[in-house]
Amino acid sequence: ASRPISRLFFGKICNFDLPILANDEFWDSPVIAAVVDDDYRADLGRLAATTPGLLERLEELPRGMAHGDAAPDNLLEPGDGTLAAIDWSYASVAPVGSDLAQLLAGRVANENRNASQLASLIDTVLDGFVDGLADGGGPVDPLAVHRAFVTYLAVRFVFSALLVEPQDDPTDRDVNVLLRRRAALGRAGLNLALDLADSGAN
């Protein structure tokens, strides 16, 4: 079964994630305070307000077959120069470029990168994807791919980036490391999504 992106936002995110993120105690936690910048909470609120418009604009984008769960673990390299995607249980027709959000989020969870390094990585991933589409002879609109990627990254990852348990034990080094990595990608995703909204995309 597919996972409609709008249903995720208006369902789980609006009814579960955002109420948690509206709580002062969440942001006062030393673990959270240690990994976010001063504007993170306010920017997350701005993103919540602009996301419905971003989702509406997805309807205008070119669509194609999407894996739906393109995490690194679902992409295998047999060793002959090819790439095989497994576990197509969430496959659907979706905006071209939407799978890149899950791919990037899954990979970054295991890497230490700051927001600026992530921005460079994102540019590389998007450029490579667009080049691959062109090599395959398909119609390519880099701006449409960018919009799909940014919107899916925001909804599938940014709102839940800091919702890692446990969050109240500052001595848990593994949780701190994971939160720092996720906060960096959350900030990069926030910047991209707010830039997209400010550019008139919604």
Side-chain angles (χ1 to χ4, degrees):
S2 64
R3 298 181 292 178
I5 195 74
S6 292
R7 186 182 302 170
L8 174 61
F9 177 73
F10 290 109
K12 173 184 177 292
I13 291 171
C14 285
N15 293 292
F16 179 77
D17 296 355
L18 291 182
I20 293 175
L21 296 168
N23 192 323
D24 291 342
E25 292 183 6
F26 176 86
W27 298 99
D28 290 340
S29 163
V31 178
I32 298 299
V35 299
V36 298
D37 57 75
D38 293 341
D39 297 323
Y40 198 108
R41 182 180 185 180
D43 285 348
L44 203 56
R46 287 175 58 207
L47 177 60
T50 60
T51 295
L54 294 175
L55 290 170
E56 278 187 28
R57 294 297 300 272
L58 288 178
E59 299 303 315
E60 305 168 6
L61 303 183
R63 306 173 83 80
M65 188 68 184
H67 184 279
D69 189 19
D73 288 348
N74 286 334
L75 300 174
L76 306 180
E77 297 182 79
D80 59 359
T82 63
L83 189 68
I86 62 172
D87 190 359
W88 286 82
S89 55
Y90 291 117
S92 66
V93 175
V96 176
S98 58
D99 273 335
L100 296 178
Q102 184 70 28
L103 178 63
L104 183 76
R107 175 170 179 171
V108 168
N110 298 317
E111 298 179 349
N112 288 313
R113 296 176 185 263
N114 59 36
S116 62
Q117 291 171 325
L118 285 168
S120 177
L121 174 62
I122 287 167
D123 287 342
T124 299
V125 169
L126 287 171
D127 289 345
F129 183 76
V130 168
D131 288 346
L133 289 176
D135 289 344
V140 181
D141 181 351
L143 293 178
V145 171
H146 178 268
R147 189 186 301 167
F149 163 73
V150 169
T151 304
Y152 272 72
L153 180 65
V155 175
R156 290 217 181 279
F157 182 81
V158 173
F159 290 108
S160 60
L162 303 177
L163 302 181
V164 177
E165 296 290 348
Q167 295 164 338
D168 55 355
D169 182 4
T171 64
D172 190 330
R173 184 173 302 175
D174 290 341
V175 170
N176 288 347
V177 170
L178 178 60
L179 273 171
R180 192 169 299 279
R181 291 173 181 170
R182 290 173 65 89
L185 182 56
R187 166 45 73 189
L190 273 171
N191 292 345
L192 287 167
L194 292 176
D195 285 347
L196 186 63
D198 289 344
S199 71
N202 75 330

